[in-house]
Amino acid sequence: MSAQDAGGVPERLALRTQLVRFVLTGGLSAVVDLGLLVVLMNLAGLEHTPAKALSFVAGTTTAYLINRRWTFRSDGSKRKFAAVMLLYGLTFVLQVGLFAVLYPWILAASASQTVAQVVGFVIAQGVATTVNFVVQRHLIFR
């Protein structure tokens, strides 16, 4: 049971707690995202950009569902849902765009598809995760 204020609204967690929960949720979501990316590219034969687009959707859906309740203790209003979907749309372009640019370059430099997938993923994911946390904490779930 979570602590609530007098109006029945869950109290906001401390920044440190939110950050730890966001990182843990992000880790799980990254496993979903990267795992699906590798499966779609290596087993399903999709090219890197459509595979990353699909894996991004799966990963961010996982993140949203967990973060909304556990990290930010939100009621999930339509306004907040719309704001998060807009944010995810922007970070989709950011993350998939970065991956699309980085993957061929890293592949050429390393000659390893696995290295290119992981390094491109980590860089694109890191940038998108930072943007997501800052916007969700300070604008959407404040």
Side-chain angles (χ1 to χ4, degrees):
M1 185 165 214
S2 63
Q4 295 185 349
D5 68 11
V9 176
E11 290 181 22
R12 184 174 185 177
L13 297 172
L15 172 61
R16 181 184 197 136
T17 302
Q18 284 183 332
L19 192 54
V20 167
R21 289 181 178 196
F22 193 84
V23 168
L24 290 172
T25 299
L28 174 63
S29 301
V31 168
V32 170
D33 191 340
L34 180 59
L36 187 57
L37 174 69
V38 171
V39 166
L40 291 172
M41 287 180 73
N42 296 351
L43 299 178
L46 285 180
E47 292 294 323
H48 66 280
T49 301
K52 181 60 186 135
L54 292 171
S55 71
F56 175 88
V57 170
T60 54
T61 299
T62 301
Y64 169 74
L65 293 172
I66 296 170
N67 278 324
R68 180 180 64 83
R69 295 300 274 163
W70 189 51
T71 304
F72 297 111
R73 294 181 167 179
S74 174
D75 61 1
S77 71
K78 290 178 184 177
R79 182 192 66 78
K80 289 176 185 173
F81 178 76
V84 170
M85 291 303 106
L86 177 61
L87 173 62
Y88 281 171
L90 294 172
T91 56
F92 172 84
V93 171
L94 177 64
Q95 190 178 120
V96 174
L98 276 173
F99 186 81
V101 168
L102 292 172
Y103 177 80
W105 180 79
I106 297 166
L107 182 61
S110 70
S112 168
Q113 180 176 354
T114 302
V115 169
Q117 287 171 335
V118 172
V119 172
F121 176 87
V122 167
I123 293 169
Q125 182 70 35
V127 171
T129 297
T130 301
V131 169
N132 266 321
F133 181 77
V134 170
V135 172
Q136 287 185 49
R137 183 172 204 281
H138 294 290
L139 297 177
I140 299 171
F141 297 115
R142 54 191 159 120

